[in-house]
Amino acid sequence: MRGPTGPVTVEVWLLDVPAELPEGACGPLDEGERRRAGRFATEAGRRRYVAAHLALRQVLSRYTGVAPGELRFGREGRYGRPVLRGAAAPGFSLSHGHGVVAVAVAAGAVGVDVQRVCPPGTVEACLPRLHPWERAELERVAPARRAAEFTRLWARKEAYLKGLGTGLGRPPRADYLGDAAPAARPAGWGVAQVTAPAGYAAAVAVPVPAGETWAVRSVRSALGPA
């Protein structure tokens, strides 16, 4: 399968985490992934981590033609975004949130995030961390809808920060990713919501040169055999 084509195209895969992983599921993972999987305090956390990294390998195998277990990963610098080693390797981003895995693939930098809708207490605790305009927008939303709208916003924000390569090392209040004024969002970036299962929000972010259009293609799938 060839990688995304067109001026700026992002393909986002949303995959379900299975209730159980088959025997030998960790086989395609490298030593570092297995070591990190073993550090989880709960079996549910370990299962989500393993499923997410298996999904990433299976998706990237479709674009590269390389078997999932033979893919090799590195980082841009010591703490930068993860990258796939090899000639003409696509850019990618990985996120997993309590049962759903999101993998975004593009020609270059890209960020993706999937979140389960946050409980109201989390929303209230996070409001002070937001850009002032974002906070004002959410405070105008009816309380019954605020958690869902906050989660949509937070997914856009994390997708953008992952695309930058900073993650939450960059203060969430530094950039506006709200709905009321899309033109005030970060210049040179396309940020969009991705259709997610009920109870979740997902978003993707990608650099878009001035004057170019961009498109998102979404794929809903299940985690299959490696």
Side-chain angles (χ1 to χ4, degrees):
M1 179 176 180
R2 296 184 63 185
T5 59
V8 179
T9 303
V10 184
E11 294 184 347
V12 178
W13 294 70
L14 290 170
L15 305 101
D16 296 316
V17 175
E20 294 183 3
L21 293 173
E23 188 73 23
C26 289
L29 303 186
D30 64 28
E31 182 180 344
E33 289 169 316
R34 295 179 194 180
R35 186 167 56 247
R36 288 188 289 275
R39 292 176 185 156
F40 280 85
T42 66
E43 177 57 27
R46 189 192 76 86
R47 175 171 49 83
R48 287 195 294 265
Y49 175 89
V50 170
H53 285 258
L54 287 175
L56 175 65
R57 287 177 173 273
Q58 290 177 14
V59 169
L60 291 178
S61 178
R62 292 172 175 263
Y63 293 91
T64 61
V66 178
E70 296 177 8
L71 294 169
R72 296 293 176 263
F73 296 92
R75 286 194 176 273
E76 290 181 342
R78 187 175 180 183
Y79 301 110
R81 68 168 64 85
V83 295
L84 185 62
R85 301 297 188 197
F92 70 89
S93 182
L94 171 67
S95 178
H96 53 97
H98 297 90
V100 178
V101 175
V103 178
V105 183
V110 64
V112 74
D113 189 64
V114 62
Q115 301 267 342
R116 190 164 62 180
V117 172
C118 300
T122 300
V123 175
E124 296 306 314
C126 289
L127 282 176
R129 302 177 63 193
L130 299 178
H131 187 283
W133 293 1
E134 296 169 343
R135 182 174 181 175
E137 287 174 28
L138 286 170
E139 288 174 342
R140 292 194 294 268
V141 173
R145 293 178 41 237
R146 190 170 296 160
E149 290 303 312
F150 169 84
T151 307
R152 284 165 52 84
L153 166 66
W154 196 260
R156 292 194 298 271
K157 191 171 288 287
E158 286 220 32
Y160 169 66
L161 294 175
K162 289 167 75 173
L164 280 181
T166 65
L168 291 172
R170 180 176 174 87
R173 65 174 57 88
D175 307 285
Y176 172 80
L177 275 301
D179 270 328
R185 291 177 180 177
W189 282 81
V191 181
Q193 225 72 43
V194 177
T195 301
Y200 290 82
V204 66
V206 64
V208 179
E212 285 203 12
T213 59
W214 71 295
V216 179
R217 288 199 288 265
S218 182
V219 182
R220 189 87 169 94
S221 185
L223 183 64

